Amino acid sequence: MVYYSTIVNGSLEKVWKQLLLKIEHPENFVPGVSNVNIFEKNPDFVLRQMTVTSAENSTILKEKITFIPYKIRFLLLEHPTMEGYVDNDCKYISENETELTFTINWKDKVELTEINNQELVKNAVLKTKQFIENNNETTT
């Protein structure tokens, strides 16, 4: 498990609304995302498939996303090499500051070893922070 936290200049309510937006529009938050398809959406969870392209390869993955204030969990249902989940948490600091933490708990399916990529989680948090701070609208 690897995690990274930062302070976002924005209210807890704004950060939470933007994190909810990430469920249907991950391309604003995650580099290399395309072909996002929502298969099911209800008050308890969302089933999503998307393609993530990096310099090395292109991967199609399916996720079950659950959300309760102020945590979103992205559980991998189908991925060629990994299993596990990512948590996005936000916590009140002050009226205009919110702590944002991403925790990645991925394992290699074959070797069952933890995927421990600190740079990946840091970049994901900082990209999300930048998007939230630059987006004045809080539409979901």
Side-chain angles (χ1 to χ4, degrees), residues 71-132:
K71 176 195 280 284
I72 300 176
R73 175 164 287 182
F74 301 86
L75 175 66
L76 286 173
L77 296 178
E78 292 180 24
H79 189 282
T81 60
M82 295 187 302
E83 59 186 24
Y85 60 89
V86 175
D87 286 338
N88 292 187
D89 296 282
C90 51
K91 183 173 90 175
Y92 177 88
I93 300 295
S94 70
E95 289 298 317
N96 296 308
E97 291 184 319
T98 301
E99 182 181 71
L100 181 64
T101 302
F102 288 8
T103 305
I104 296 179
N105 191 343
W106 288 335
K107 290 185 181 177
D108 180 287
K109 281 183 170 180
V110 176
E111 298 176 14
L112 298 178
T113 55
E114 281 190 33
I115 309 292
N116 192 2
N117 190 332
Q118 184 67 38
E119 199 63 26
L120 176 75
V121 71
K122 178 181 177 182
N123 290 339
V125 170
L126 295 179
K127 182 172 176 62
T128 300
K129 171 187 167 88
Q130 179 181 25
F131 181 85
I132 292 170

Side-chain angles (χ1 to χ4, degrees), residues 40-46 65-68:
E40 185 175 344
K41 181 179 178 182
N42 64 56
D44 297 319
F45 65 89
V46 171
I65 305 163
T66 54
F67 41 93
I68 56 166

Side-chain angles (χ1 to χ4, degrees), residues 36-54:
V36 178
N37 294 305
I38 305 294
F39 291 107
E40 185 175 344
K41 181 179 178 182
N42 64 56
D44 297 319
F45 65 89
V46 171
L47 295 179
R48 176 176 82 185
Q49 178 177 299
M50 64 185 186
T51 303
V52 180
T53 303
S54 67

